[in-house]
Amino acid sequence: MHGALDNASPGRDSDERRQIGFWRANALSAEGRHDEAIDALRAIGSDCRCRTRVSKNIAENLRRLGRDMEAIEELKNAPLAEEWDCFRALVLDAKYVLAHLLASNGLEVYKAILDDIPDGYIHITDRGHRISKSDLVDLISGKKKSSI
């Protein structure tokens, strides 16, 4: 996989660079090379139309490194409100991850974030785990342990 990515052209435009960067970051993350995945994501940040998606992917890699507080800061600094109208599904996913990170670290989950997440919402992690809003609510109330 890396050979193909390494031999790929640098990209004719920002869309191609973004696609190559996301593939590279996903491959690195799958191999447990999370710091390198974060670097790859940061390198394409300016090429991405939805910066919140990049921040969410960075936050997930930070979480895998045990750096939850940095992951929370990454998502708090993401342009969630600015991108809500144009990229609602991607921002909603990032809000879910932020809420989960806050709850699993015993921090307050802002009511506004919970209100934005529909009751029937199911978050599917990049590892294929399905986690519902009710699972999140149980985590917040202490009835359940973190499942991400």
Side-chain angles (χ1 to χ4, degrees):
M1 173 69 117
H2 291 290
L5 291 169
D6 291 340
N7 293 328
S9 72
R12 291 183 302 261
D13 56 28
S14 64
D15 191 47
E16 238 178 60
R17 285 190 299 275
R18 177 186 51 80
Q19 289 176 27
I20 292 167
F22 268 116
W23 275 104
R24 183 178 307 284
N26 285 330
L28 291 166
S29 183
E31 293 174 352
R33 296 164 59 185
H34 304 296
D35 282 318
E36 292 173 79
I38 291 167
D39 291 342
L41 289 163
R42 289 202 192 285
I44 61 165
S46 63
D47 288 330
C48 294
R49 291 179 297 249
C50 181
R51 293 183 323 272
T52 296
R53 179 181 181 202
V54 175
S55 291
K56 189 211 55 143
N57 288 337
I58 289 170
E60 287 178 328
N61 279 284
L62 288 166
R63 182 188 49 78
R64 287 190 194 98
L65 290 167
R67 294 161 46 189
D68 286 10
M69 299 315 288
E70 289 176 66
I72 290 168
E73 282 307 308
E74 180 71 35
L75 289 171
K76 281 183 174 181
N77 293 326
L80 300 169
E82 296 89 342
E83 294 183 342
W84 179 252
D85 289 335
C86 293
F87 302 105
R88 189 170 303 247
L90 296 173
V91 174
L92 179 60
D93 197 43
K95 285 185 175 195
Y96 186 96
V97 171
L98 175 57
H100 196 282
L101 280 162
L102 290 166
S104 61
N105 283 281
L107 301 171
E108 178 186 356
V109 178
Y110 315 115
K111 184 179 178 332
I113 292 175
L114 279 178
D115 289 346
D116 284 343
I117 301 170
D119 289 336
Y121 184 78
I122 305 238
H123 171 75
I124 302 173
T125 70
D126 58 351
R127 303 292 194 244
H129 298 106
R130 297 175 188 280
I131 307 162
S132 68
K133 181 178 181 180
S134 64
D135 292 329
L136 177 61
V137 171
D138 286 348
L139 177 63
I140 292 167
S141 68
K143 293 180 185 176
K144 196 171 196 175
K145 298 255 188 231
S146 177
S147 56
I148 290 185

